[in-house]
Amino acid sequence: MFRIKNGYTPSTNKKEFWENGLIPWFRMDDIRINGRILNNSIKKVTKEAVKDGQLFPANSIIISTSATIGEHALVTVPHLTNQRFTSLSLKDEFADLLNIKFLYYYFFIIDELCRKNVTTSNFASVDMSAFRNFPIPPLEEQERIVAIMDKFDALVNDISQGLPAEIEARRKQYEYYKNKLLTFKPLTINNKQ
């Protein structure tokens, strides 16, 4: 299903690998600072730094498989990553069967799988054999899930959409409880004299 490539760090002793670089080189800091859908990196490398001239393709999932285990991002541009990441790109024969955005969302579940499939030697790393089999719904269902998740993501992460929606929900909640709490049966006062 995936082409799997491990990231690497070009030699920092070679200035020609780093000076005036244009190729995105992703690290955990990129996720921490720029979020989980990435199209630009904090650090960049030159084409001389690229092993065999092969970049990791756009629309790949990167997942941390050592050190900070089980963090992922969707990278929308050709790129490289450091050695803490494994890059997963769809094989051509699966391109019409899998929605990469669905996989991005699904990887929140896979992150947990990674945390549970850690091997230890000198440092913790993920046993990648766990990626061989996991259930995937049909493409139509994937697209439906993506549409729903995109709406939730916008409500949670986009203040221009999320805040107005939250304010509206709180207003409705306020009206409901105001009406519920302040509606009484009329009191009957018996004035016997």
Side-chain angles (χ1 to χ4, degrees):
M1 176 178 326
F2 294 111
R3 287 184 294 274
I4 299 174
K5 293 191 172 198
N6 293 322
Y8 57 91
T9 299
S11 174
T12 54
N13 294 329
K14 295 189 174 186
K15 290 184 180 184
E16 66 270 19
F17 287 178
W18 298 94
E19 289 180 354
N20 303 312
L22 299 174
I23 298 167
W25 179 71
F26 292 102
R27 305 170 299 148
M28 187 57 67
D29 284 347
D30 290 289
I31 293 175
R32 290 182 185 126
I33 293 169
N34 296 320
R36 291 184 181 269
I37 298 180
L38 301 169
N39 60 16
N40 203 357
S41 63
I42 298 166
K43 291 192 172 193
K44 295 180 175 49
V45 297
T46 64
K47 65 180 179 179
E48 290 79 21
V50 181
K51 289 182 182 178
D52 302 323
Q54 296 291 315
L55 294 177
F56 301 165
N59 296 317
S60 294
I61 303 286
I62 60 173
I63 186 159
S64 59
T65 52
S66 66
T68 305
I69 302 237
E71 296 292 330
H72 77 280
L74 170 61
V75 181
T76 62
V77 295
H79 64 284
L80 294 176
T81 70
N82 74 4
Q83 61 278 7
R84 302 291 182 223
F85 284 107
T86 298
S87 179
L88 302 148
S89 58
L90 284 177
K91 290 181 178 177
D92 295 338
E93 60 265 28
F94 293 99
D96 293 336
L97 301 173
L98 294 164
N99 179 316
I100 195 68
K101 192 83 178 276
F102 166 79
L103 292 172
Y104 161 74
Y105 286 124
Y106 194 53
F107 264 75
F108 285 102
I109 303 300
I110 302 298
D111 288 346
E112 190 58 35
L113 178 76
C114 286
R115 290 183 196 100
K116 291 178 180 175
N117 286 283
V118 174
T119 60
T120 55
S121 54
N122 292 341
F123 58 90
S125 64
V126 174
D127 176 6
M128 291 303 290
S129 65
F131 283 92
R132 304 252 187 266
N133 295 310
F134 49 89
I136 299 287
L139 186 60
E140 185 177 292
E141 180 66 4
Q142 293 174 46
E143 290 168 354
R144 186 183 77 78
I145 291 168
V146 166
I148 293 167
M149 294 301 294
D150 281 348
K151 287 179 187 174
F152 279 123
D153 186 62
L155 286 172
V156 170
N157 295 312
D158 183 350
I159 194 166
S160 67
Q161 290 186 28
L163 192 55
E166 183 63 21
I167 290 170
E168 181 61 26
R170 291 313 120 229
R171 282 186 181 135
K172 287 179 180 176
Q173 188 179 34
Y174 169 76
E175 289 298 320
Y176 172 81
Y177 282 107
K178 180 181 77 172
N179 291 334
K180 194 83 165 159
L181 294 170
L182 299 175
T183 302
F184 308 103
K185 290 183 179 179
L187 290 175
T188 305
I189 301 176
N190 193 356
N191 285 335
K192 290 184 180 178
Q193 294 187 359

